[in-house]
């Protein structure tokens, strides 16, 4: 069992996505350095603040890394641009892939609208806590 370093024990934790497989896949992208951005709805319970450290969990709720929120920018879903989609690091990193994947995700949550407000977060990887298969 992984012991979280003392300096991170008071940090909140979360898993990306809406299921174990997606959580592990996205955590691996963060650990690999490919994923440096994400989106959330402004009312989500795990909404970060700039400068805040978060522990990222995999699909089995194991801590895998620590990230720091660098920037939060409100944007409508239909205003997310190619640069941000690329920084999210998912799929082929295109805006088309981003829109399809995120529309599906927000539809599963029952909140999708093309003009919905998102918090576009940029973050940095602070520390890897557990090795992962990063061949994603």
């Amino acid at each position: 069992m992984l012991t979280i370093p003392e300096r991170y024990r008071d940090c909140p934790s979360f898993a990306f996505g809406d299921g174990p497989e997606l959580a592990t896949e996205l955590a691996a992208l963060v650990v690999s350095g490919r994923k440096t951005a994400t989106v959330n709805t402004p009312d989500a319970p795990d909404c970060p603040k700039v400068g805040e450290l978060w522990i990222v969990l995999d699909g089995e709720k194991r801590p895998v890394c620590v990230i720091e929120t660098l920037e939060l920018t409100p944007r409508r879903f239909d205003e997310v641009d190619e640069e941000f989609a690329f920084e999210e690091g998912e799929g082929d990193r295109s805006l088309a892939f981003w829109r399809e994947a995120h529309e599906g995700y927000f539809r599963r949550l029952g909140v999708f609208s093309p003009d919905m407000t998102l918090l576009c977060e940029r973050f940095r990887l602070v520390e890897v806590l557990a090795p992962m298969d990063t061949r994603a």
Side-chain angles (χ1 to χ4, degrees):
M1 186 72 171
L2 175 71
T3 302
I4 297 172
E6 182 68 35
R7 62 189 169 278
Y8 303 126
R9 292 209 180 129
D10 293 330
C11 294
S13 62
F14 80 105
F16 287 102
D18 60 349
E21 186 175 311
L22 187 55
T24 296
E25 176 186 330
L26 297 180
L29 290 175
V30 174
V31 168
S32 75
R34 180 177 163 126
K35 182 172 182 62
T36 60
T38 193
V39 295
N40 220 330
T41 56
D43 60 348
D46 55 359
C47 246
K49 296 175 182 69
V50 173
E52 195 169 43
L53 298 177
W54 284 77
I55 297 169
V56 177
L57 307 175
D58 69 8
E60 295 182 25
K61 301 192 184 322
R62 294 179 300 212
V64 296
C65 64
V66 177
I67 61 172
E68 177 186 10
T69 301
L70 301 175
E71 175 186 308
L72 291 168
T73 306
R75 285 189 191 157
R76 289 177 10 162
F77 181 92
D78 57 8
E79 294 174 335
V80 170
D81 60 20
E82 292 175 8
E83 178 184 359
F84 191 84
F86 184 85
E87 291 171 3
E88 278 231 29
E90 300 172 33
D92 66 3
R93 301 178 94 169
S94 69
L95 182 57
F97 180 91
W98 184 93
R99 285 188 174 151
E100 183 178 330
H102 286 79
E103 179 177 337
Y105 171 75
F106 288 117
R107 283 192 186 283
R108 290 191 303 272
L109 297 180
V111 298
F112 177 74
S113 169
D115 64 351
M116 68 188 290
T117 299
L118 299 175
L119 280 180
C120 295
E121 175 187 0
R122 286 185 167 93
F123 57 82
R124 73 176 184 95
L125 178 62
V126 173
E127 186 172 338
V128 174
L129 302 175
M132 295 188 75
D133 179 1
T134 58
R135 290 173 288 172

